[in-house]
């Protein structure tokens, strides 16, 4: 029997029970809206094993890299949105997947790229990305570029999509609901505008984990995309996406040094194992580079936070005196991530547990682009 004590550190630990609860919660939230489907975003999970739970029956999914698109298409998840603005040179790879049975739809907010999609000899279609307030990708619903892009795509227009990433700046359910409504209204307005011009707009897609959970009305929307809800993290916890018991992903690490004089321990999980993301810096509670838990995943050291990272070193300091007798060199701890997406990206597999220390399975990830 393999346990956490047998694993190399640092490595990813994924709690199956928490993962199941998180997936069920999002499915229930979307099911409140008749006629709206959940198209889970697998950019964080990058795992067919997770996909079997989040998109059962090889259902529709969202991806963020061509590597993911290939991996999931080969596993049977053929209905995909590649939700990153398409570079025309990537169209050949998408068309090759679609020619052998996949239905990978791309995204653009650029007339030139839309013309490239329309002119491609292979089977490719695209959604127009709509900016509903984040100010990253997309065109505003009222922008003249919206009908220009749709006209360029012609029959290869698959729909419209939006992402309210600015919801991450909000801190209350009411504020999240307001962003969710602005997201819905914006993408639906874009779809209605194009339909009034004679375009078919079969897909009206939106989503982020916070807005998917807090949306009160999704009239006019056909599907919701969300992803980080599956694993959770310290930032999403503070947004209300899940509670303190909703973090399914942790990094197993070993104590490699002790510094009682500054109430700290050194870990073999540094910037490469945890990432240097600082999402919680602007949140009500700053968790540095992660919260240190005991080997069983419990916060038994109080608020012991990884305050400093080097490439392979992490320094964790306690808000209260650390129990150094329980933290000798070699002791195992788990670090809850600040941002699960970036923490997971450094690793190639998950070691799956279910509330205990026994490793039930090892699930592979697909990394790279």
């Amino acid at each position: 029997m393999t346990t956490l004590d047998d694993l190399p550190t640092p490595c990813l630990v994924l709690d199956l029970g928490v993962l199941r609860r998180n997936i069920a919660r999002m499915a229930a939230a979307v099911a409140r809206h008749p006629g709206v489907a959940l198209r889970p975003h697998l950019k964080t999970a990058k795992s067919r094993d997770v996909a079997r739970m989040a998109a059962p029956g090889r259902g529709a999914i969202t991806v963020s890299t061509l590597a993911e698109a290939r991996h999931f298409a080969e596993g049977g998840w053929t209905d995909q949105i590649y939700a990153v603005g398409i570079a025309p040179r990537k169209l050949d790879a998408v068309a090759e997947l679609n020619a052998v049975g996949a239905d990978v739809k791309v995204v653009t907010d650029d007339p030139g790229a839309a013309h490239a999609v329309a002119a491609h000899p292979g089977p490719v279609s695209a959604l127009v990305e709509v900016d509903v307030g984040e100010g990253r990708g997309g065109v505003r619903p009222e922008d003249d570029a919206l009908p220009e892009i749709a006209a360029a795509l012609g029959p290869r227009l698959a729909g419209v999509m939006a992402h309210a990433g600015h919801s991450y700046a909000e801190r209350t359910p009411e504020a999240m609901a307001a962003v969710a409504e602005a997201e819905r209204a914006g993408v639906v307005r874009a779809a209605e505008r194009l339909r009034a011009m004679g375009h078919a707009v079969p897909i009206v897609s939106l989503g982020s984990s916070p807005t998917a959970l807090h949306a009160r009305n999704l009239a006019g929307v056909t599907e919701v995309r969300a992803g980080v809800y599956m694993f959770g993290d310290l930032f999403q916890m503070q947004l209300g996406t899940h509670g303190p018991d909703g973090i399914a992903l942790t990094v197993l690490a070993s104590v490699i040094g002790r510094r009682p004089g500054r109430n700290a321990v050194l870990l073999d999980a540094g910037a490469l194992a945890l990432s240097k993301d600082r999402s919680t810096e602007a949140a009500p509670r700053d968790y540095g580079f992660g919260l240190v838990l005991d080997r069983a995943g419990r916060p038994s050291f109080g608020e012991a936070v990884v305050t400093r990272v080097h490439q392979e070193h992490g320094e964790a300091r306690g808000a209260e005196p650390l129990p150094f007798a329980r933290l000798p060199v070699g002791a195992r701890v788990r670090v809850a991530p600040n941002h699960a997406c970036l923490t997971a990206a450094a690793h190639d597999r998950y070691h799956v547990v279910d509330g205990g220390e026994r490793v039930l399975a090892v699930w592979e990830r697909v990394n790279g682009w």
Side-chain angles (χ1 to χ4, degrees), residues 85-169:
I86 192 67
R89 286 183 180 273
K90 296 181 179 181
L91 289 172
D92 287 349
V94 174
E96 286 171 9
L97 287 173
N98 292 344
V100 294
D103 179 17
V104 180
K105 293 160 281 292
V106 302
V107 169
T108 189
D109 64 1
D110 180 80
H115 282 292
V117 170
H120 197 278
V124 184
S125 63
L127 293 90
V128 181
E129 185 172 6
V130 180
D131 179 9
V132 291
E134 183 182 20
R136 184 180 65 181
V139 295
R140 299 291 294 176
E142 59 280 352
D143 197 306
D144 289 343
L146 177 70
E148 181 185 359
I149 296 165
L153 288 169
R156 292 194 170 186
L157 174 65
V160 292
M161 60 86 73
H163 171 62
H166 55 303
S167 62
Y168 288 7

Side-chain angles (χ1 to χ4, degrees), residues 2-290:
T2 302
T3 71
L4 296 182
D5 282 338
D6 300 314
L7 301 180
T9 58
C11 68
L12 286 181
V13 176
L14 182 60
D15 192 297
L16 189 59
V18 180
L19 175 64
R20 284 190 178 121
R21 291 198 302 272
N22 291 346
I23 288 172
R25 183 168 181 246
M26 181 60 75
V30 174
R32 293 179 295 127
H33 307 282
V36 179
L38 175 60
R39 182 188 288 272
H41 205 321
L42 292 165
K43 70 183 180 69
T44 304
K46 297 181 187 284
S47 161
R48 290 179 188 168
D49 295 284
V50 176
R52 289 186 185 97
M53 301 171 63
R58 305 300 196 274
I61 62 170
T62 313
V63 299
S64 63
T65 68
L66 286 175
E68 292 168 39
R70 290 189 198 94
H71 181 73
F72 289 115
E74 290 168 359
W77 287 270
T78 54
D79 183 354
Q80 303 181 21
I81 291 177
Y82 173 24
V84 176
I86 192 67
R89 286 183 180 273
K90 296 181 179 181
L91 289 172
D92 287 349
V94 174
E96 286 171 9
L97 287 173
N98 292 344
V100 294
D103 179 17
V104 180
K105 293 160 281 292
V106 302
V107 169
T108 189
D109 64 1
D110 180 80
H115 282 292
V117 170
H120 197 278
V124 184
S125 63
L127 293 90
V128 181
E129 185 172 6
V130 180
D131 179 9
V132 291
E134 183 182 20
R136 184 180 65 181
V139 295
R140 299 291 294 176
E142 59 280 352
D143 197 306
D144 289 343
L146 177 70
E148 181 185 359
I149 296 165
L153 288 169
R156 292 194 170 186
L157 174 65
V160 292
M161 60 86 73
H163 171 62
H166 55 303
S167 62
Y168 288 7
E170 304 300 340
R171 296 292 178 266
T172 67
E174 293 76 19
M176 297 287 187
V179 173
E181 174 55 23
E183 179 186 32
R184 183 205 69 82
V187 74
V188 170
R189 187 161 67 251
E192 290 174 343
R193 188 178 172 205
L194 294 180
R195 286 172 181 149
M197 296 174 179
H199 295 287
V201 186
I203 298 174
V204 182
S205 180
L206 55 68
S208 69
S209 290
T211 57
L213 289 168
H214 293 287
R216 295 170 182 168
N217 172 27
L218 289 179
V221 172
T222 65
E223 65 177 37
V224 167
R225 306 179 325 280
V228 72
Y229 70 90
M230 300 177 205
F231 290 172
D233 55 37
L234 295 165
F235 182 59
Q236 293 295 324
M237 179 182 75
Q238 296 191 74
L239 295 184
T241 302
H242 56 77
D245 61 349
I247 299 178
L249 184 76
T250 53
V251 175
L252 183 71
S254 296
V255 175
I256 58 171
R258 310 195 309 163
R259 301 294 182 269
R262 57 178 186 258
N263 194 35
V265 294
L266 299 180
L267 306 177
D268 63 354
L272 293 185
L274 301 174
S275 94
K276 297 189 79 169
D277 186 88
R278 296 286 283 104
S279 297
T280 62
E281 189 171 18
R285 175 68 172 94
D286 184 0
Y287 285 100
F289 298 96

